[in-house]
Amino acid sequence: MSQNPVFDRITQEIQDNPVVLYMKGTPIFPQCGFSAAVVQVLSHLGVKFKGVDILTDPPLRDGIKQFSNWPTIPQLYVKGEFVGGCDIVREMFETGELQQMLTEKGVATASA
Amino acid sequence: MQVRRAMEDKLRAAFAPIRLDIVDDSHRHAGHGGARPEGETHFTVEIVSAAFAGQNRVTRQRAVYAALAQELETRVHALALTTLTPEEDAARR
């Protein structure tokens, strides 16, 4: 089971917030092009999300990679489920799957 | 070219792709986080393989990350990935 104390925090965070983006920097000032791209997609869709800056939190930076079994940042969670990183979010946005998934999960979007 | 070559060998061994494009974007990230003067830190990879059939995107990318775990840990800072089955690739053309 999870022995990394960060795992409990992540579990709580993705339960308490419908949409969570683990990213480099903040939604206002992303520190990485890939994080910025996901922020842009979510903002374009009018999705409210919690941005979590992993750069200011080294234990979280390592912990989220183990938690998700995913070696890169950004990472998007919707309703507690791992959606993917930048490539997946972009692809799903382009095909309309992202909008559909958000709607199915009951997350409000502006363009719906 | 060493990193690129190692990645190519590993991806070919793991997925027997019918198409594999590896583009080194490192020059576009010079001076950014994770960049190195000697380059080979940022790549875009497009891989078309029948091995991805029946897998969702997360499963596919995890498989690619696993194949390149050593490179990702030691050298490669960013990997933009497109993973397609031959059918999906054909449909995009």
Side-chain angles (χ1 to χ4, degrees):
Chain A
M1 290 303 293
S2 84
Q3 292 337 313
N4 190 333
V6 171
F7 286 8
D8 293 336
R9 250 179 70 201
I10 297 170
T11 304
Q12 195 65 44
E13 204 155 45
I14 61 178
Q15 267 172 18
D16 293 349
N17 302 278
V19 183
V20 184
L21 179 64
Y22 293 93
M23 60 179 294
K24 293 183 178 176
T26 64
I28 310 284
F29 292 110
Q31 301 286 319
C32 153
F34 300 99
S35 289
V38 176
V39 169
Q40 207 177 1
V41 166
L42 294 176
S43 303
H44 178 80
L45 292 176
V47 174
K48 277 197 190 135
F49 67 97
K50 178 174 185 184
V52 180
D53 183 5
I54 57 94
L55 289 178
T56 57
D57 192 335
L60 178 64
R61 183 177 188 162
D62 286 335
I64 189 69
K65 293 177 183 180
Q66 292 170 27
F67 183 87
S68 309
N69 183 22
W70 196 259
T72 56
I73 307 292
Q75 298 184 10
L76 180 67
Y77 276 83
V78 175
K79 294 274 162 127
E81 263 180 52
F82 179 62
V83 176
C86 175
D87 303 311
I88 288 178
V89 170
R90 251 200 300 225
E91 253 180 68
M92 288 179 72
F93 171 65
E94 282 164 14
T95 61
E97 287 165 79
L98 186 64
Q99 297 86 317
Q100 192 187 343
M101 183 266 285
L102 289 166
T103 305
E104 281 172 7
K105 289 185 179 283
V107 176
T109 60
S111 57
Chain B
M1 294 293 281
Q2 272 179 342
V3 179
R4 189 185 178 289
R5 173 63 56 83
M7 286 171 47
E8 179 170 350
D9 288 348
K10 287 179 182 177
L11 291 174
R12 288 203 185 284
F15 301 102
I18 61 165
R19 187 160 62 75
L20 174 60
D21 299 323
I22 302 179
V23 179
D24 184 347
D25 307 314
S26 304
H27 60 282
R28 288 172 48 205
H29 300 273
H32 294 190
R36 292 169 181 235
E38 64 271 33
E40 295 209 279
T41 52
H42 293 65
F43 290 91
T44 297
V45 174
E46 188 161 321
I47 178 166
V48 180
S49 165
F52 296 135
Q55 297 181 343
N56 67 23
R57 291 186 177 91
V58 169
T59 306
R60 293 175 187 187
Q61 289 207 13
R62 274 194 185 125
V64 173
Y65 286 141
L68 302 179
Q70 194 191 338
E71 283 70 25
L72 282 163
E73 239 169 67
T74 56
R75 176 69 179 253
V76 175
H77 175 75
L79 195 60
L81 274 180
T82 306
T83 51
L84 300 167
T85 62
E87 293 74 26
E88 291 164 349
D89 185 47
R92 293 206 323 172
R93 281 152 195 279

